[in-house]
Amino acid sequence: MSKRRQARIAALAALIVMGATVAPSASAYAPNDPRWQYQNSLRVAGVPEAWNRSTGSGIVLAMIALAGVDRQHEDLRNQLVPGYDFLNPGAEPPPGGHDTAAAGVAVAERNNGVGIAGVAPGARLMPIRIGPGWHDSLRLAVDRGAKVIFYEVEDILWPDDFVGLTSHPIPYEKAMEEALTYAWSRGAVVIGAAGNEGRPYCSNPSAYDRVLCVGATDDEFPDQRALRSNWGFGLDLAAHSRHQATDWNSGEPDNHSAYGPFNGTSGAAAFAAGVAALLMGAGASNEEVVRVLQCTADDLGPEGPDLIYGHGRIHAGRAMAALGSGITCPSPPATVLDLVRGNRP
């Protein structure tokens, strides 16, 4: 029997043993947020089942991005902690539509009678506008107590970056590797979007070893990779990518009740960050978060890890049920940096 099948059996056994702990309640399935009816991705991924054990309470997520969040948005104003702007220290990052949307996917308030429900409504979000280096923002997030850190900004790795190189590709930063080691040692999980160029490798910083690279599946074509989602070397997981989300429009800066669709690997990474917060809110370590996410994912491609979906598409309900089970599963495909550095065969 393969390790993948053993992992699924262990997760199923945990679901049965835990019984009432994970059994969905009516209130969990039907929060009073009016746009919940359109949030099918949360239901398919078992988020309501996970809510019965954790909503992410006590966990701070840091979102590292090019802009900030509409702090007055009706679905976010109770969900935020002070952020940081590396381009204007001492100020909150200015709001942006993309990053307001990502924040809503991860932590929008639940059962408040408006808008949507975030994946981890009990968690709080710290918006950070990135500075000159990837590592500075990451260290700041860790030092301010973030346990889940997700990047909503990326650098595209082009094939020319790797031509003729025998050690590190151009985007590699030793300082970033050291910051990631530091974050892991402090118990944090770091997540990044695979990128939306349709290329066979994860973008930067998702290409780094200690970043969970998350690709996207397209809910309009169930169980298929989103057409523009990057795939290939280093892909760890996939997640739902079409979401109802909070929004902010610079043309209507006083409209704090805007919503709209949010697609792509940015949405998938925000979704994954929310699920990681749920697991940490239930007491999981960063190592266990990574392991149960990988071992309980919907295996959409060939059995086991593959280059299209990594370990598969995240399933929050099964991941939550598997906490404490000790399940293990095979390693994902090597990252681009691994291949260039020769760390893996």
Side-chain angles (χ1 to χ4, degrees), residues 29 36 38-49 217-219 222-223 239-240 242-243 271 296-298 300 313-318:
Y29 268 115
W36 170 251
Y38 306 117
Q39 293 187 268
N40 189 55
S41 59
L42 274 68
R43 293 188 288 275
V44 173
V47 171
E49 290 92 331
T217 58
D218 191 335
D219 295 347
D223 301 343
H240 293 275
R242 290 181 178 268
H243 302 285
F271 187 93
T296 63
D298 293 321
L300 302 181
R313 187 177 59 207
I314 290 171
H315 193 283
R318 284 201 302 271

Side-chain angles (χ1 to χ4, degrees), residues 139 142 147 178-188 210 286:
R139 284 185 177 273
V142 173
K147 290 301 183 185
E178 292 173 346
L180 285 164
T181 299
Y182 175 68
W184 185 262
S185 73
R186 296 288 293 272
R210 289 197 183 275
N286 54 356

Side-chain angles (χ1 to χ4, degrees), residues 266-307:
S266 290
F271 187 93
V275 176
L278 294 179
L279 297 171
M280 285 197 156
S285 67
N286 54 356
E287 182 278 331
E288 189 173 24
V289 167
V290 172
R291 180 160 45 83
V292 300
L293 285 177
Q294 293 176 340
C295 294
T296 63
D298 293 321
D299 194 1
L300 302 181
E303 185 172 331
D306 62 70
L307 295 174

